Amino acid sequence: MPKIEIDGIEVECRDGITVLQAALEAGWSVPHYCYHPGLSVVASCRLCLMEMQMPSPKGGGMEWSSKLVPSCQVPVKNGLVVRFASDQVKRNQRRVMEFLLLNHPLDCPVCDQAGECLLQDYSYEFGDPTSRMRDEKHKSPKKDIGPRTLLYSDRCVLCTRCVRFTREITGTHDLCVTHRGSENEIDVFPGKALDNPLQGNVVDLCPVGALLDKDFLFKQRVWFLKRTKSICPGCSTGCAVSVDSNEGVVYRLKPRYNPGVNDWWMCDEGRFGWKYMHDANRITAPVIRRGGVTGTPPWDSVPEIVDARLRAVIEAHGPDKVAVVLSPMMACEEAWLLVRFLRSVASEATLVLGPVPIQGQLQMFPVGSTGDAVRFTIRREKCPNRRGVETIIAETGGPTLSFEVFCEQATAGAFAAAWIVGGYPEPWVTKDFAKAVGQLEFVVAQDLFPNEVTEVATLVLPACGFAQREGSFMNFGGRIQPFDRAIAPPDGAKGDGQYLYELAGFTGLYSGRAVREMMAQEIHLFSMVKEAPPMPVHQH
Amino acid sequence: MAWPTIDRQSPVTDSDAPPLLSDEVKAKIRSFFERYETRRAALLPALHVVQESLGYISWRAMDEVATVLDIPASEVFDVVTFYTHYWTKPRGKKTIVVCRSITCELMGAGVLLEAFKRHLGVGEGETTPDGAYSLATEECLAQCDHAPCVLINEKKHGRVKPDDVPALLADPDNDKLEVPRSDLYDPVLGEDATTRPRGGERKG
Amino acid sequence: MGDYEPVLLRNVGVEGAATIGVYKKRGGYRALAKALKMTPDEVVEEVKAAALRGRGGAGFPAGVKWGFLPKDRDVTYLCVNGDESEPPTFSNRVLMENDPHQLIEGTIISAYATQSSIAYVYLRVEFHELFHILQRAIDEAYAAGYLGKNILGSGYDLECYIHRGAGAYICGEETGLIESIEGKRGWPRNKPPFPAVEGLFHKPTVVNNVETLCNVPHIIERGAGWFTGIGPPGSSGPKLFCVCGPVNRPGCYEGPMTITVRDLIYGDAYGQGMIGDRKVKAVLPGGISMGILTGDELDMKMDFADPAEYGLLGLGTAAAVVVSEDTDIRVVLRSIAQFFAHESCGQCTQCREGTSWMYKIARRIAAGEGGPGDLEVMYETAGNLGMMPGLSICGLSDGAAFPIRTLIEKFRGELEQHVREAPDEIEQRSPSTVRS
């Protein structure tokens, strides 16, 4: 670990990073636009400049170089001495901020980025309060560059992060710089819109309000948003994300830095894949059917109903006539609680993993890359936790069946009761499955939307979307990643974890962490949770 | 917002969309490949050939050049707009470039430019209605010993006075070079009427 | 000075000098034959011994540049910088138009010294006529066996291609030039790595200016001692100087680096004085990038050392544009500011924004709408640009800063009159009134 000196303070830093990165990690506030740890270094915004000691040209010892040096470009080296706290450095920061605002429209009141804008933040921290610009501003156009993204060129600082992203990470080369000098603009080739599966990241990368997400446009001021740490359930990659919500409504998802999993990025499928949570058709209250009569039982009565009906089935048909179809959309904790409850009532209940949605092709980026060159992967398995649920089934032991065999046997009358968990955002009940369910005497369906199963189930329980739940998912590589609850379940509904917790005989509030600790006693694997690192104060 | 949004999701249809690049033009572009380690490096020569052939670089031509070089169209757009010598709109048969840099300015380029405007009846960046001339200015043409200087297509004219403008414009050979030409970057002259020679009627 | 025998320009004005036959008759390609009998290292050593400093503007010793090439390299490229775009410079044009084989010979020898396999001559596109002349000369050199495989039976192979630019001053910066050959926008690269280590197509690359390479055959033929015998130490060898503007004989002239700006303007072998005996108000003696001199500073020597004494950035391209007493200094200010605003590549913030801001102010001052604070803002902005203080990737912005800073320093009185006391417009001048 090299030691360097920044502003007279010794800092121990990781190998192979730059001075800028080391300073940011050690808590320095160093303004920068073009630098991003996930992209190549271009050193063109010239804002992170520092002073550095160099061997004196006259010989004999080190002295401060008269020249400023981009800290984003200098690798750390033992004994390096630099400073940001100098008049020369500060003067440059002031001037760069003035330059960048010369032609900026200063339209913060109507800009989505306001509140998380590095022009605002840096101007406040490093800039001058007034501009000396007397001449007319150069006005660059607003461009509709893709189905999901707008470009306000007049707010652009030409850091080229977005262009480098489409060249280095997606390999799709959608964006380019056009023209020259102060006429420089970001653009796409007309008719070849920014429409790659990772394009939303350019909005995150944009340090100012130039690239904006149409879906989020004018929807919400960012300072009203609450950020909640979550894991994207869109595929088995398990990207760390932040769910940004306000008053029970999700407004957007943003990736969180998660090295080795999604780094700084996420795909559009995941980014915009949360809308179903606010769908008006969702099941929001328990439903019970008795002899053609449908009612809404109070939540209090649910454990009793389930318990009584299951015991009746067992008495009539035996303890091996009960099955539970677990969903790969469930959190590990939820699956564990459900299995624990059912096995406590029906000790020989069969455990089944429900359908695992597989869609499309494995997508690796940059396009065409393989092996170590791959920077991001979108997986075919469109659920977050197949491995987690499989692990719980395997570690629990006892009778298990594959989903296909369960369907066959249930159709043949091998089961009398089943607890069926869905929770898929897309329709998922096949004809065969519906037919199999039709043979059962008692069915509990836990799901998001009405379907052929919930239409016939004796008891329907609302399931919640991922942002309304908490727990953990095990991704494709076996990494167990916790996620927090961002918003409350819809009115009338209860979190899946909460009612499963109660069914399992616990009282009080469900907590993913507490349940995980209990699980870890039985299944040691669940003690090894990997959280994405916290975002640095000065995020990129 | 108060000002319009440019639609970049739809392709731009060129006003008088020239035909696809001919096989000859593509072959000419490919002839540069052997000179460089990458095909991409043939981009500047390719654009010169296209511009000489079509008279300008249309959106469609950019896209086709990208295909020939196997590079993204966005990067062709990037390069075309960086360099001032490539133009994306049709120009007249001859382009008059008046140098506007310091020596020429000191020697009267401003008044000379006005004379051209007056005689041609067009402004800077415009083309005469008959399509004969376009008028442009550029930074230093490195002919400062002959300031103020002017280029008419390939041909340079030095120490041009405002009074010389009518005669210069009337001279049909005002763009004809005196030295033998190399056809390395020349347009491929096909049967097609849209291909047009520049730099004088060298085919006789 | 009158007895100086031109070396680089010796073929200018000679009938047919651009053809290989005449060039050879006048001693051409002898140096090449001699060089090919030497080892490449011996050629490098000879050029190092001559202390040939780059003529493109920065004055870096060419032999030392060659010496930076890594020993264990496979492919090396030589790029000939013929992007000549610095106002008011035309010496490369004169060299190539009149004596293209001199450049080709210098290129082959230098390529041999650096063991380059391909030499790219980067030619600004506006040099149309010159392109045809040079391409023809290259064709002749191929036909004569000076280019291609096994040159003169030496076993050394070299291809030489012209790569035409497309209108961008920044492509005269060596890494901008490299990017441009690679088919990209000419955005200069961060250094290190320097081109000698990682240049064109990521291979070791040397970029030399046309005039620099034209000196090489003469050094090989006559020896380093001859070269260092011309001019003062540190500024040795023959040098081309341009002089233009309202002088009696604008042109490109050769001499030792002992001459002064005054010699260049008034010398019989040079500009031969001002048109109509006008007084000199100012001179930009090294191309516009280096800064400005007043009429009282004409004793500056046109060498690599003296310009700094006058607050200038350097010798630059040694091309002087003279401004006469009847010229409003605001014309010069606006012209310089416009040039750099137009030519800034836009990569680094300070240069992109600073040059366009300075142009806006200069244009307004020239339009008679200058106001208090304008000069201060412009002067300070010019101080917030440049590679020397580390504020940009390349030196373009130093070149934008120096003329504006020196101009405001040296002509503040006149500028202030226009800005503060009597805002007024500039009178347009016609070429006929200048020349009559």
Side-chain angles (χ1 to χ4, degrees):
Chain A
M1 298 261 283
K3 283 182 186 156
I4 65 172
E5 192 187 302
I6 308 176
D7 294 336
I9 299 165
E10 194 178 75
V11 172
E12 206 171 323
C13 35
R14 295 186 286 132
D15 269 312
I17 60 174
T18 62
V19 173
L20 175 59
Q21 190 66 43
L24 293 172
E25 286 175 13
W28 264 260
S29 167
V30 182
H32 59 279
Y33 290 115
C34 66
Y35 172 78
H36 186 282
L39 301 171
S40 61
V41 171
V42 290
S44 64
C45 76
R46 313 305 282 188
L47 184 52
C48 73
L49 306 187
M50 61 180 181
E51 282 187 62
M52 192 162 88
Q53 284 201 349
M54 305 221 194
S56 166
K58 293 163 223 133
M62 306 287 281
E63 63 176 37
W64 291 108
S65 159
S66 61
K67 198 175 171 143
L68 295 176
V69 184
S71 61
C72 64
Q73 216 189 4
V74 178
V76 294
K77 206 176 73 186
N78 216 20
L80 198 67
V81 180
V82 304
R83 67 182 177 200
F84 292 100
S86 87
D87 290 345
Q88 209 191 342
V89 168
K90 290 183 169 157
R91 190 174 98 120
N92 177 58
Q93 292 169 347
R94 273 203 311 280
R95 288 298 153 251
V96 171
M97 292 318 300
E98 181 179 39
F99 282 139
L100 289 174
L101 291 177
L102 288 178
N103 293 297
H104 186 280
L106 304 176
D107 56 347
C108 307
V110 293
C111 178
D112 262 12
Q113 189 83 1
E116 55 182 7
C117 174
L118 293 185
L119 266 176
Q120 289 184 324
D121 293 356
Y122 292 165
S123 289
Y124 184 75
E125 197 174 348
F126 307 102
D128 279 336
T130 54
S131 171
R132 296 175 295 169
M133 173 81 163
R134 290 179 49 199
D135 298 275
E136 205 168 306
K137 292 189 185 229
H138 174 78
K139 197 163 171 63
S140 309
K142 184 170 81 168
K143 295 177 204 160
D144 183 9
I145 57 165
R148 293 187 178 280
T149 306
L150 277 176
L151 169 63
Y152 288 71
S153 302
D154 54 345
R155 297 178 186 154
C156 176
V157 294
L158 261 311
C159 68
T160 72
R161 284 182 185 185
C162 55
V163 176
R164 280 175 283 148
F165 179 81
T166 67
R167 290 181 183 171
E168 295 163 16
I169 309 297
T170 63
T172 49
H173 300 258
D174 319 76
L175 293 170
C176 59
V177 180
T178 67
H179 300 86
R180 191 166 79 198
S182 60
E183 311 259 300
N184 272 348
E185 278 177 30
I186 304 297
D187 215 330
V188 294
F189 190 85
K192 296 182 193 293
L194 176 70
D195 195 15
N196 70 65
L198 305 184
Q199 66 82 33
N201 292 290
V202 302
V203 176
D204 307 334
L205 280 169
C206 184
V208 300
L211 284 163
L212 296 179
D213 177 359
K214 289 182 187 174
D215 189 59
F216 182 70
L217 194 71
F218 305 139
K219 292 270 167 57
Q220 191 70 199
R221 279 315 203 171
V222 299
W223 51 86
F224 293 130
L225 294 176
K226 181 183 82 175
R227 313 202 83 178
T228 307
K229 287 193 250 176
S230 188
I231 298 295
C232 175
C235 83
S236 58
T237 295
C239 295
V241 298
S242 153
V243 176
D244 291 2
S245 64
N246 181 25
E247 296 186 344
V249 179
V250 175
Y251 285 94
R252 64 178 187 186
L253 259 50
K254 290 267 183 190
R256 282 186 296 137
Y257 176 53
N258 194 14
V261 179
N262 56 297
D263 293 341
W264 299 267
W265 330 118
M266 72 183 293
C267 74
D268 277 16
E269 212 175 297
R271 184 184 299 268
F272 302 108
W274 51 270
K275 300 289 175 73
Y276 68 89
M277 285 193 291
H278 297 303
D279 193 310
N281 291 324
R282 269 186 59 185
I283 300 166
T284 55
V287 176
I288 190 151
R289 288 192 184 84
R290 274 194 191 116
V293 183
T294 305
T296 304
W299 274 106
D300 294 358
S301 63
V302 168
E304 237 173 275
I305 297 167
V306 176
D307 198 60
R309 291 299 304 264
L310 275 179
R311 284 183 199 286
V313 168
I314 291 163
E315 257 172 50
H317 306 283
D320 59 341
K321 293 292 186 259
V322 177
V324 54
V325 178
L326 299 158
S327 166
M329 306 303 292
M330 299 175 90
C332 298
E333 295 75 4
E334 293 161 351
W336 183 78
L337 288 169
L338 181 56
V339 168
R340 184 188 161 102
F341 161 65
L342 276 165
R343 279 285 172 83
S344 72
V345 183
S347 56
E348 285 164 56
T350 298
L351 310 184
V352 178
L353 171 66
V356 175
I358 304 287
Q359 236 178 59
Q361 296 298 315
L362 186 71
Q363 295 182 70
M364 292 185 288
F365 299 92
V367 171
S369 63
T370 53
D372 287 348
V374 175
R375 305 284 301 266
F376 192 86
T377 306
I378 303 175
R379 293 193 159 73
R380 301 174 61 207
E381 200 172 287
K382 302 299 178 193
C383 57
N385 202 26
R386 172 187 57 83
R387 285 197 62 168
V389 175
E390 271 178 0
T391 303
I392 286 159
I393 293 173
E395 293 284 334
T396 307
T400 63
L401 282 179
S402 73
F403 185 66
E404 289 73 21
V405 176
F406 167 75
C407 284
E408 282 166 24
Q409 294 193 1
T411 310
F415 292 96
W419 183 301
I420 297 161
V421 187
Y424 304 93
E426 302 290 330
W428 65 282
V429 177
T430 58
K431 267 188 193 149
D432 287 350
F433 185 55
K435 199 170 148 198
V437 171
Q439 305 295 314
L440 301 171
E441 194 180 311
F442 174 59
V443 175
V444 181
Q446 178 186 339
D447 217 331
L448 285 164
F449 295 102
N451 55 35
E452 297 87 330
V453 170
T454 63
E455 293 305 321
V456 300
T458 323
L459 178 65
V460 180
L461 296 175
C464 283
F466 74 103
Q468 293 156 327
R469 292 153 39 205
E470 63 172 271
S472 62
F473 295 138
M474 188 190 289
N475 80 347
F476 76 99
R479 183 188 291 236
I480 301 165
Q481 306 188 101
F483 63 97
D484 294 341
R485 192 179 90 161
I487 56 172
D491 280 350
K494 211 172 195 181
D496 308 38
Q498 185 62 40
Y499 60 74
L500 294 173
Y501 189 66
E502 290 165 12
L503 276 170
F506 299 106
T507 49
L509 282 178
Y510 161 78
S511 135
R513 178 185 297 271
V515 173
R516 211 151 48 238
E517 275 164 15
M518 286 192 279
M519 288 166 70
Q521 303 290 321
E522 286 178 20
I523 312 171
H524 180 67
L525 195 62
F526 287 101
S527 62
M528 291 186 291
V529 169
K530 277 207 170 137
E531 289 209 48
M535 286 298 249
V537 182
H538 277 266
Q539 44 171 285
H540 301 289
Chain B
M1 290 267 82
W3 76 102
T5 304
I6 297 177
D7 174 19
R8 282 297 197 219
Q9 294 202 54
S10 322
V12 176
T13 316
D14 298 302
S15 49
D16 61 338
L20 299 171
L21 298 185
S22 66
D23 290 344
E24 289 80 4
V25 168
K26 287 181 184 168
K28 185 100 192 179
I29 292 172
R30 288 194 193 97
S31 73
F32 284 95
F33 288 175
E34 62 172 30
R35 298 177 157 226
Y36 307 100
E37 269 191 34
T38 64
R39 283 188 176 194
R40 165 93 197 233
L43 181 54
L44 265 66
L47 292 171
H48 284 306
V49 169
V50 168
Q51 180 158 293
E52 290 292 296
S53 300
L54 303 181
Y56 73 110
I57 301 171
S58 64
W59 290 103
R60 188 166 168 180
M62 281 188 235
D63 201 9
E64 285 185 51
V65 168
T67 307
V68 177
L69 265 56
D70 195 22
I71 58 174
S74 63
E75 306 216 5
V76 178
F77 181 25
D78 172 323
V79 166
V80 166
T81 54
F82 180 80
Y83 295 96
T84 44
H85 189 72
Y86 297 132
W87 45 87
T88 53
K89 299 236 161 54
R91 283 194 175 178
K93 193 166 156 57
K94 296 177 184 176
T95 297
I96 299 175
V97 173
V98 180
C99 176
R100 68 174 186 206
S101 284
I102 187 158
T103 309
C104 287
E105 174 152 20
L106 293 177
M107 301 305 282
V111 174
L112 181 61
L113 178 64
E114 291 307 316
F116 274 111
K117 284 182 187 170
R118 202 167 54 248
H119 287 286
L120 292 171
V122 295
E124 205 181 318
E126 293 174 0
T127 302
T128 54
D130 63 357
Y133 286 105
S134 292
L135 185 61
T137 58
E138 270 177 29
E139 296 300 344
C140 189
L141 300 173
Q143 315 284 350
C144 322
D145 42 348
H146 305 292
C149 67
V150 166
L151 271 180
I152 302 182
N153 285 352
E154 292 192 338
K155 171 77 176 164
K156 59 187 187 190
H157 299 271
R159 299 186 187 172
V160 184
K161 296 190 192 78
D163 295 347
D164 303 338
V165 170
L168 187 61
L169 291 176
D171 177 4
D173 290 337
N174 60 11
D175 64 338
K176 198 168 186 175
L177 289 183
E178 280 136 29
V179 298
R181 301 183 83 267
S182 159
D183 62 0
L184 191 70
Y185 280 79
D186 271 4
V188 182
L189 300 173
E191 297 302 306
D192 203 310
T194 56
T195 58
R196 53 169 212 149
R198 287 192 47 207
E201 304 293 317
R202 63 186 170 284
K203 287 220 159 174
Chain C
M1 238 146 301
D3 55 2
Y4 179 85
E5 186 67 37
V7 180
L8 301 169
L9 298 182
R10 74 195 195 288
N11 288 335
V12 173
V14 173
E15 175 84 23
T19 60
I20 196 164
V22 175
Y23 180 70
K24 281 178 73 177
K25 237 179 253 163
R26 293 178 59 81
Y29 288 112
R30 280 205 308 244
L32 174 61
K34 184 176 173 188
L36 291 174
K37 292 199 182 76
M38 298 160 72
T39 66
D41 283 347
E42 283 168 354
V43 179
V44 174
E45 286 314 313
E46 195 68 26
V47 173
K48 268 189 192 168
L52 166 62
R53 294 179 68 168
R55 269 38 175 167
F60 195 82
V64 176
K65 208 180 207 181
W66 298 354
F68 289 154
L69 290 165
K71 288 272 170 289
D72 55 343
R73 61 191 196 273
D74 297 328
V75 180
T76 311
Y77 293 116
L78 175 68
C79 297
V80 182
N81 190 344
D83 190 50
E84 185 160 74
S85 311
E86 170 79 22
T89 312
F90 46 93
S91 40
N92 289 351
R93 190 204 83 220
V94 168
L95 281 171
M96 290 189 280
E97 244 172 28
N98 292 284
D99 201 359
H101 283 286
Q102 177 175 242
L103 171 64
I104 296 168
E105 186 176 7
T107 301
I108 303 168
I109 296 170
S110 306
Y112 173 71
T114 54
Q115 288 294 288
S116 300
S117 51
I118 302 180
Y120 294 100
V121 182
Y122 192 97
L123 210 59
R124 62 175 303 185
V125 71
E126 295 83 356
F127 283 162
H128 296 288
E129 192 172 330
L130 199 164
F131 160 72
H132 297 299
I133 293 170
L134 187 61
Q135 185 59 50
R136 180 163 170 233
I138 289 172
D139 294 344
E140 285 180 336
Y142 267 105
Y146 296 129
L147 283 168
K149 298 273 174 231
N150 192 21
I151 296 168
L152 298 181
S154 64
Y156 173 63
D157 307 334
L158 176 69
E159 303 296 333
C160 179
Y161 302 124
I162 296 180
H163 185 94
R164 300 187 76 177
Y169 171 73
I170 194 62
C171 293
E173 197 276 348
E174 60 178 8
T175 57
L177 182 148
I178 286 170
E179 289 280 304
S180 186
I181 295 180
E182 289 185 3
K184 300 172 187 162
R185 58 174 41 228
W187 273 10
R189 294 178 182 174
N190 276 291
K191 287 144 276 201
F194 288 94
V197 177
E198 197 184 318
L200 185 60
F201 307 119
H202 305 293
K203 304 293 191 319
T205 301
V206 168
V207 184
N208 285 135
N209 169 265
V210 165
E211 186 184 333
T212 312
L213 292 177
C214 286
N215 275 289
V216 172
H218 306 291
I219 291 170
I220 295 306
E221 202 177 346
R222 306 178 195 211
W226 159 80
F227 191 85
T228 51
I230 300 169
S235 297
S236 42
K239 180 77 193 87
L240 298 189
F241 304 100
C242 298
V243 59
C244 59
V247 294
N248 285 319
R249 203 176 64 134
C252 173
Y253 306 103
E254 183 177 337
M257 282 183 260
T258 48
I259 68 162
T260 63
V261 176
R262 190 184 310 282
D263 296 330
L264 191 55
I265 298 171
Y266 293 99
D268 281 346
Y270 302 98
Q272 295 182 349
M274 299 291 289
I275 294 177
D277 283 330
R278 288 177 169 89
K279 255 185 77 186
V280 174
K281 176 180 210 161
V283 186
L284 292 133
I288 59 170
S289 297
M290 298 295 121
I292 200 163
L293 298 176
T294 66
D296 297 331
E297 296 176 316
L298 304 186
D299 293 326
M300 188 194 92
K301 288 197 207 67
M302 294 292 287
D303 65 16
F304 284 109
D306 211 30
E309 303 298 318
Y310 292 81
L312 305 192
L313 185 51
L315 178 62
T317 56
V321 54
V322 187
V323 180
S324 57
E325 58 184 341
D326 50 344
T327 300
D328 191 319
I329 200 69
R330 293 178 294 168
V331 172
V332 179
L333 181 68
R334 181 186 59 193
S335 175
I336 292 168
Q338 175 174 28
F339 181 82
F340 288 105
H342 187 258
E343 298 301 340
S344 167
C345 81
Q347 196 177 191
C348 304
T349 307
Q350 287 88 333
C351 178
R352 178 182 68 237
E353 303 298 335
T355 54
S356 87
W357 193 14
M358 291 194 297
Y359 174 47
K360 280 179 181 177
I361 299 171
R363 193 175 49 186
R364 190 157 42 74
I365 292 176
E369 291 161 16
D374 277 343
L375 292 178
E376 287 67 26
V377 168
M378 193 154 34
Y379 187 73
E380 209 225 307
T381 299
N384 293 320
L385 300 178
M387 179 173 68
M388 297 203 307
L391 306 181
S392 60
I393 290 171
C394 83
L396 181 141
S397 50
D398 298 297
F402 264 74
I404 290 183
R405 278 182 80 82
T406 51
L407 192 148
I408 295 176
E409 280 164 8
K410 296 179 184 183
F411 295 90
R412 186 179 279 274
E414 182 182 339
L415 285 169
E416 279 181 351
Q417 270 180 17
H418 293 297
V419 174
R420 297 238 164 84
E421 290 163 24
D424 55 349
E425 273 189 75
I426 301 166
E427 187 194 335
Q428 285 272 25
R429 277 167 48 209
S430 162
S432 29
T433 61
V434 180
R435 288 233 156 257
S436 60

